[in-house]
Amino acid sequence: MELSRDEEDALAGRKGEAIASAYRILVAIGEATGASRLVPVKWAHVSGVNYNTIGDAGAQFLDKFSRNAKVAVKTTVNPMGYDRSHQEDIPSKFQEKQSSIVSSYERMGVTPSFTCTPYEVFDIPEEGSMVSFAESNAAVFSNSLLGLKTNKESALSALASSVTGKAPLSDLRLEDARAPKVGIKVDFKFESELDYGLLGYFAGKMVKDSSVAFDIPKPSTIEAKALSAAIGTSGSCGMFTLGDTKEKISFGKKEAEAVMDELSTADDGDVITLGSPQLGMNELDLLAKATGGKKFDRRCMIFCSRAIHNQAAKVGLTGKLEKAGAEFMCDSCTCLTPYVTKEKYDSVVSNSIKGAYYLNNSNKVKVALRDIRTIAEDYAK
Amino acid sequence: MIIVNCKKIVGGSGEGPAIVTTQPINFLAMVDAKTGRITDQKHELYDKSLKGAVLVFPYAVGSSVGAYAIFSLKEYGDAPSAVVCTKADITTASGCAIADIPVVDLPDGAPAIKQGAITRVEADSGVIRVKV
């Protein structure tokens, strides 16, 4: 990969150690992806905010890094571990470490978005814009439906982009990788967003390329979010298109059931957790309508961004759902949240494939998978 | 001694017994940073320790924060001494760049590295030396 004189200087440490390490990251990922050069990006979305995802080593790294670097482009950040206005029994050590991480990012000048759906909260740049998104559901959604160009960045590569304003020109930033060679031949009746999650998880597992095609009509936003999050969870695929390809892999009832068998590991759950990705206005609307005037018979935690919460509050949507007994947890999401531990809960009810994967494997809590409408029908009485 | 040509992804040198797998690794979900051991019972490297080894694997999968998991391994002293990939991915490259762990890519048709073989990776020269 070729670097400009300015970039060489930065790599050599002439702009400080933090920028040098950012360029070391960009050079490494550039070599890995066969990039010819670096290009400017308009927006970086950084993951690695929840203390449970980066741990003490990560928190210490960010503390040091943030004292020597500021963001060079608009930078938004992923959810943290919990909602600071709902501390509950979150251990004080977790709170301190989480606070340190938040301070580090704020010191760098990020937009304190704490959302995994920045595409639902912020203005979208024009089609064709280069961005650097670490949150996999956001990378897939933005590549596939918004015409933005990003690779499935790691937390560190997006961080590197945030302070340099650059990313390697490779893979999904180039048209060749964006045109899928393999497609999924879908022989399945979709009944909910959960079904799109099953398809996405299957596709991510089966397709090693950066992009995949689905021979299905355009999904709704709720369906596309579920599809994107699931694709991002199971493999390296970072984009889908809608259409046909020569080489096809079949997805039908059998394949869907196999994913359900893997991820739906309980018949029922002690608590309902909705997120992964954080809920948007569409999901909140759907949930409110499906709940009717009834009340949830168990704790129902709705994870959404503070921005969406504010929007929903203005139209009375949060009030409706709170009346049904739901609780809003802002700035956080299901994946690796300290709200959900195996000490507190044996199993949870979730509508998210991505959520189910991490709840099962990382939180070590079983999951009863149901779509949003079924959750409302089964548990609101 | 077998000499295998390779492509530098992250520079530096490292040596150790090869730990070889054809299965991708999810560093966040499958590796205990505090011990360097693979914790996923379904993985063929289950319970093996990465500490001081030359990890030979296809690529990383899973969460974007896997890069921090690799960094944590180094901080806790359990990191591999070098990493050899079939096709290095962004998580592996970025995590190892920050953790100063050399990474190289194997070309197609490269000879297989035997499980346990003492292996030296010299990323800057683009060479892997495997003791037979």
Side-chain angles (χ1 to χ4, degrees):
Chain A
M1 189 173 70
E2 296 228 341
L3 296 181
S4 69
R5 169 61 64 78
D6 194 60
E7 290 160 356
E8 292 276 11
D9 283 347
L11 181 66
R14 288 191 201 110
K15 298 188 185 186
E17 188 42 48
I19 296 289
S21 54
Y23 274 95
R24 271 203 303 281
I25 291 171
L26 293 180
V27 167
I29 66 174
E31 290 302 322
T33 58
S36 56
R37 58 189 169 93
L38 297 173
V39 291
V41 294
K42 288 189 180 163
W43 182 4
H45 181 81
V46 174
S47 66
V49 185
N50 177 350
Y51 170 58
N52 271 343
T53 61
I54 67 173
D56 290 331
Q60 271 160 42
F61 166 81
L62 279 172
D63 183 85
K64 186 167 167 215
F65 188 85
S66 64
R67 292 179 197 279
N68 295 290
K70 293 226 183 298
V71 299
V73 283
K74 167 170 144 189
T75 299
T76 48
V77 292
N78 244 14
M80 64 177 95
Y82 71 108
D83 182 337
R84 289 170 294 185
S85 49
H86 287 92
Q87 282 172 16
E88 297 193 4
D89 53 356
I90 306 290
S92 53
K93 182 195 171 185
F94 189 101
Q95 295 193 36
E96 276 162 39
K97 296 283 182 171
Q98 184 64 85
S99 179
S100 157
I101 292 167
V102 168
S103 296
S104 294
Y105 283 119
E106 285 174 344
R107 201 177 294 127
M108 289 173 58
V110 307
T111 303
S113 52
F114 305 116
T115 180
C116 49
T117 61
Y119 49 85
E120 283 195 312
V121 175
F122 297 92
D123 289 336
I124 308 297
E126 61 182 355
E127 276 202 27
S129 294
M130 299 285 180
V131 298
S132 183
F133 285 0
E135 166 55 41
S136 61
N137 99 77
V140 177
F141 189 99
S142 303
N143 275 326
S144 312
L145 296 162
L146 302 176
L148 302 182
K149 298 184 182 183
T150 178
N151 283 319
K152 261 188 68 176
E153 302 299 334
S154 75
L156 289 172
S157 71
L159 184 71
S161 286
S162 76
V163 298
T164 59
K166 300 189 185 182
L169 182 63
S170 58
D171 203 9
L172 288 168
R173 296 202 175 87
L174 296 168
E175 285 318 305
D176 188 56
R178 295 175 73 84
K181 296 167 191 62
V182 182
I184 308 293
K185 184 176 181 329
V186 179
D187 180 16
F188 189 79
K189 187 166 178 291
F190 292 108
E191 286 176 1
S192 71
E193 78 285 355
L194 178 57
D195 289 339
Y196 283 86
L198 299 175
L199 170 64
Y201 191 79
F202 172 80
K205 260 195 180 178
M206 300 302 293
V207 178
K208 304 299 171 205
D209 303 331
S210 299
S211 62
V212 64
F214 298 117
D215 60 352
I216 57 172
K218 187 168 177 206
S220 69
T221 301
I222 298 182
E223 292 161 350
K225 281 170 71 177
L227 180 60
S228 300
I231 291 173
T233 301
S234 56
S236 40
C237 190
M239 175 170 171
F240 65 86
T241 63
L242 304 169
D244 219 357
T245 46
K246 279 210 183 85
E247 194 188 326
K248 292 190 244 282
I249 302 171
S250 289
F251 175 83
K253 191 153 172 279
K254 194 176 97 182
E255 289 75 21
E257 278 170 4
V259 178
M260 275 299 270
D261 282 343
E262 181 187 330
L263 296 173
S264 191
T265 47
D267 289 327
D268 209 339
D270 308 318
V271 49
I272 302 164
T273 59
L274 298 172
S276 296
Q278 286 172 328
L279 269 55
M281 294 295 286
N282 297 305
E283 290 93 330
L284 294 178
D285 205 51
L286 170 63
L287 184 64
K289 289 204 169 83
T291 309
K294 296 182 269 182
K295 285 181 73 96
F296 286 106
D297 67 356
R298 66 202 62 194
R299 186 175 194 195
C300 175
M301 299 168 73
I302 297 176
F303 290 92
C304 70
S305 64
R306 201 161 289 281
I308 292 290
H309 179 268
N310 292 345
Q311 234 189 304
K314 286 200 181 102
V315 295
L317 203 37
T318 51
K320 251 191 213 145
L321 287 164
E322 279 164 346
K323 240 176 148 181
E327 293 164 72
F328 283 87
M329 316 309 253
C330 296
D331 298 335
S332 50
C333 205
T334 352
C335 292
L336 288 98
T337 177
Y339 285 128
V340 179
T341 65
K342 61 181 187 330
E343 286 75 29
K344 288 206 288 221
Y345 307 115
D346 288 325
S347 59
V348 306
V349 180
S350 168
N351 77 316
S352 164
I353 292 293
K354 172 172 181 166
Y357 178 85
Y358 287 102
L359 285 160
N360 276 304
N361 292 298
S362 298
N363 297 60
K364 305 283 189 208
V365 167
K366 293 195 191 305
V367 181
L369 269 171
R370 311 255 195 288
D371 66 276
I372 288 177
R373 195 188 303 273
T374 305
I375 289 172
E377 286 167 5
D378 285 358
Y379 300 110
K381 300 182 171 140
Chain B
M1 171 90 63
I2 302 177
I3 296 186
V4 183
N5 290 322
C6 58
K7 175 182 158 178
K8 172 177 111 172
I9 303 294
V10 177
S13 300
E15 177 173 328
I19 289 200
V20 186
T21 179
T22 53
Q23 293 172 337
I25 295 177
N26 179 332
F27 283 95
L28 177 70
M30 292 178 186
V31 185
D32 181 346
K34 294 199 170 118
T35 62
R37 287 192 186 277
I38 305 288
T39 56
D40 184 348
Q41 291 179 347
K42 291 187 248 101
H43 199 280
E44 66 184 5
L45 292 185
Y46 173 61
D47 210 37
K48 295 263 188 305
S49 172
L50 299 179
K51 179 174 175 168
V54 170
L55 174 62
V56 182
F57 82 124
Y59 44 79
V61 288
S63 173
S64 57
V65 297
Y68 276 106
I70 295 173
F71 178 74
S72 293
L73 275 171
K74 185 70 178 233
E75 292 296 293
Y76 286 116
D78 304 309
S81 6
V83 172
V84 177
C85 291
T86 315
K87 177 104 180 46
D89 59 284
I90 288 175
T91 290
T92 303
S94 56
C96 290
I98 280 295
D100 285 319
I101 301 169
V103 180
V104 294
D105 255 3
L106 283 175
D108 292 335
I113 298 175
K114 258 185 100 175
Q115 195 77 257
I118 299 300
T119 304
R120 180 168 174 79
V121 173
E122 293 167 6
D124 297 308
S125 325
V127 157
I128 304 170
R129 299 176 198 283
V130 186
K131 270 205 187 106
V132 264

